[in-house]
């Protein structure tokens, strides 16, 4: 049985588009010096070699900033990251095709066992940022919307089919809602964003959304698109479209405010961070694993509960010790103050608290020397 314990955290968000192809594997990449002077910040060192990562497309802008900062301080290191989606990233990591993975969902027990076989040691998840997931829409003449959890669930379950449905109209009395069909857009690929979004729906609107949290979209019909950028493009190309995506990639699309308790709350890094005050850390996990069970059904004022907690996944021991030191240095930069500020500038994120950053660094320090 999975147990939980209270945890106090804060957040960091993501966005953007980067298409750095992941090439090579943890066994095929080459490393140079094992010096880690660049580990806790881009202070420069004698590191050299190539790292391959893949996974979360929601991490792309943050990852772009992390790669740029780390490579600037370590010019003999190349970091490649392929934003194939969280599910694909975990699959590649478990298969030994990458040195680390980015994922918007922590590893399942089955994945933990497979990753342990791949690594020859425990593999762990550490959170690197928390991103609000926005309910984005494109509806001519409507710039803002208030939606209750049940209404959001009804729209994406395709029970609410028109924009002027009474459930939507009741919370938007001043909006000119058209008699227009709603076109929901979901991810077509296995996605941590989808898992976090469906987890929210199942917990905040259980009477409407009866499906379990899943990386694969469970409702047939509607429109499907690949990756975060695909959803944003599909919503932006239509009229009457609605989707879910990393908030920092919403661009010019409308973004709904979500009812929490008695208030409608618009996403922000601060509101997303606040939900973690009521969240718990998942126990029964390997030492150093920092998986979080988010309090989706909170009614606390000012909290935005539709968030994804995005992780980096890595081995605590690498067959190539020098390669392990490169992973250690890069991940240490990501969770450092400098790395967090780089992501904040690139993606509007809220930096990790010092407590969570220290916990993450302790996990990274488990990588064998």
């Amino acid at each position: 049985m999975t147990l939980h314990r209270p945890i106090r955290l804060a957040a960091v968000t993501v966005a953007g588009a980067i298409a750095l192809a992941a090439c090579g594997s943890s066994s095929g990449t080459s490393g140079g010096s094992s010096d880690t002077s660049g580990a806790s910040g881009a202070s420069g060192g004698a590191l050299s070699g190539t790292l391959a990562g893949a996974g979360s497309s929601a991490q792309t802008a943050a990852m772009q900033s992390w790669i740029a900062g780390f490579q600037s301080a370590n010019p003999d290191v190349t970091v490649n990251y392929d934003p194939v989606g969280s599910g694909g990233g975990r699959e590649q990591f478990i298969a030994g095709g990458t040195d680390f993975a980015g994922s918007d969902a922590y590893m399942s027990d089955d994945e933990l066992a497979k990753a342990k076989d791949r690594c020859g040691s425990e593999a762990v998840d550490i959170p690197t940022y928390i991103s609000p997931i926005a309910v984005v829409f494109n509806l001519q003449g409507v710039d803002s919307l208030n939606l209750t959890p049940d209404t959001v669930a009804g729209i994406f379950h395709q029970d609410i089919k028109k924009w002027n449905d009474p459930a939507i109209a009741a919370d938007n009395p001043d909006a000119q809602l058209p008699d227009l069909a709603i076109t929901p857009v979901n991810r077509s690929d296995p996605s941590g964003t989808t898992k976090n979004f469906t987890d929210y729906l199942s917990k905040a609107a259980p009477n409407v959304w009866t499906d379990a949290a899943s990386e694969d979209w469970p409702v047939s019909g509607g429109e499907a698109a690949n990756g975060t950028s695909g959803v944003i493009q599909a919503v932006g190309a239509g009229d009457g479209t609605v989707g879910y995506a990393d908030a920092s990639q919403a661009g010019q699309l409308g973004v709904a405010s979500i009812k929490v308790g008695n208030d409608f709350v618009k996403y922000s890094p601060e509101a997303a961070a606040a939900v973690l005050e009521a969240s718990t850390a998942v126990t029964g996990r390997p030492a150093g694993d920092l998986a979080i069970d988010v309090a989706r059904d909170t009614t606390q004022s000012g909290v935005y509960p539709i968030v994804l907690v995005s992780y980096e996944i890595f081995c605590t021991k690498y067959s190539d010790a020098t390669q392990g030191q490169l992973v250690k240095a890069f991940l240490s930069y990501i969770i450092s103050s400098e790395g967090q500020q780089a992501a904040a500038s690139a993606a509007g994120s809220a930096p990790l608290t010092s407590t969570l950053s220290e916990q993450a660094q302790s996990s990274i320090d488990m990588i064998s020397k």
Side-chain angles (χ1 to χ4, degrees):
M1 178 181 295
T2 301
L3 303 176
H4 304 86
R5 58 185 170 82
I7 189 168
R8 298 180 68 81
L9 306 169
V12 60
T13 60
V14 297
I18 181 172
L20 295 172
C23 57
S25 69
S26 59
S27 59
T29 52
S30 61
S33 168
S34 61
D35 176 68
T36 58
S37 59
S40 60
S43 58
L47 294 168
S48 65
T50 301
L51 286 177
S56 166
S57 61
Q59 282 194 24
T60 46
M63 186 61 69
Q64 184 178 24
S65 71
W66 292 328
I67 290 172
F70 186 73
Q71 289 184 162
S72 177
N74 300 279
D76 293 327
V77 178
T78 298
V79 182
N80 296 317
Y81 183 79
D82 185 359
V84 295
S86 297
R90 295 196 308 278
E91 287 175 3
Q92 289 190 32
F93 174 76
I94 289 170
T98 59
D99 301 300
F100 70 96
S103 179
D104 303 334
Y106 57 79
M107 289 183 286
S108 67
D109 290 344
D110 182 59
E111 288 173 327
L112 281 170
K114 292 178 180 178
K116 184 175 181 179
D117 288 341
R118 170 260 157 114
C119 293
S121 67
E122 299 287 2
V124 298
D125 311 80
I126 60 168
T128 52
Y129 64 80
I130 289 85
S131 170
I133 298 173
V135 177
V136 294
F137 65 91
N138 192 16
L139 186 60
Q140 188 173 358
V142 178
D143 297 324
S144 62
L145 280 175
N146 293 327
L147 299 175
T148 68
D150 282 354
T151 302
V152 176
I155 288 171
F156 283 94
H157 202 263
Q158 299 174 43
D159 301 321
I160 297 175
K161 301 180 183 296
K162 292 288 189 73
W163 280 108
N164 62 349
D165 186 280
I168 302 176
D171 292 316
N172 297 276
D174 297 327
Q176 299 298 312
L177 299 169
D179 183 15
L180 178 69
I182 298 173
T183 302
V185 180
N186 58 265
R187 288 281 288 268
S188 61
D189 54 317
S191 162
T193 305
T194 296
K195 186 170 185 178
N196 280 273
F197 186 58
T198 54
D199 187 47
Y200 163 76
L201 295 174
S202 68
K203 292 177 178 176
N207 294 326
V208 180
W209 191 270
T210 57
D211 295 287
S214 173
E215 290 195 327
D216 297 305
W217 187 251
V219 182
S220 60
E223 185 174 343
N226 187 69
T228 301
S229 60
V231 170
I232 294 296
Q233 290 170 5
V235 174
D239 183 23
T241 45
V242 60
Y244 58 93
D246 177 72
S248 56
Q249 297 193 40
Q252 300 302 308
L253 294 174
V255 176
S257 295
I258 305 301
K259 193 169 189 180
V260 181
N262 296 320
D263 303 318
F264 287 96
V265 181
K266 189 171 183 179
Y267 83 87
S268 70
E270 294 75 19
V275 74
L276 297 183
E277 295 292 334
S279 297
T280 57
V282 181
T283 60
R285 308 279 294 177
D289 191 276
L290 300 178
I292 300 168
D293 184 28
V294 180
R296 309 288 188 187
D297 56 354
T298 181
T299 58
Q300 183 177 329
S301 178
V303 169
Y304 186 84
I306 316 179
V307 299
L308 65 84
V309 180
S310 203
Y311 301 86
E312 307 308 322
I313 298 170
F314 58 93
C315 301
T316 55
K317 183 177 181 179
Y318 287 82
S319 57
D320 182 336
T322 299
Q323 200 66 20
Q325 291 304 296
L326 287 178
V327 174
K328 186 175 184 177
F330 181 55
L331 296 182
S332 294
Y333 173 68
I334 285 177
I335 58 94
S336 72
S337 175
E338 185 176 349
Q340 291 292 290
Q341 289 300 325
S345 296
S349 62
L352 300 171
T353 62
S354 58
T355 298
L356 184 55
S357 182
E358 289 169 4
Q359 292 173 340
Q361 186 63 61
S362 293
S363 299
I364 294 166
D365 288 342
M366 293 173 63
I367 297 175
S368 298
K369 295 183 179 179

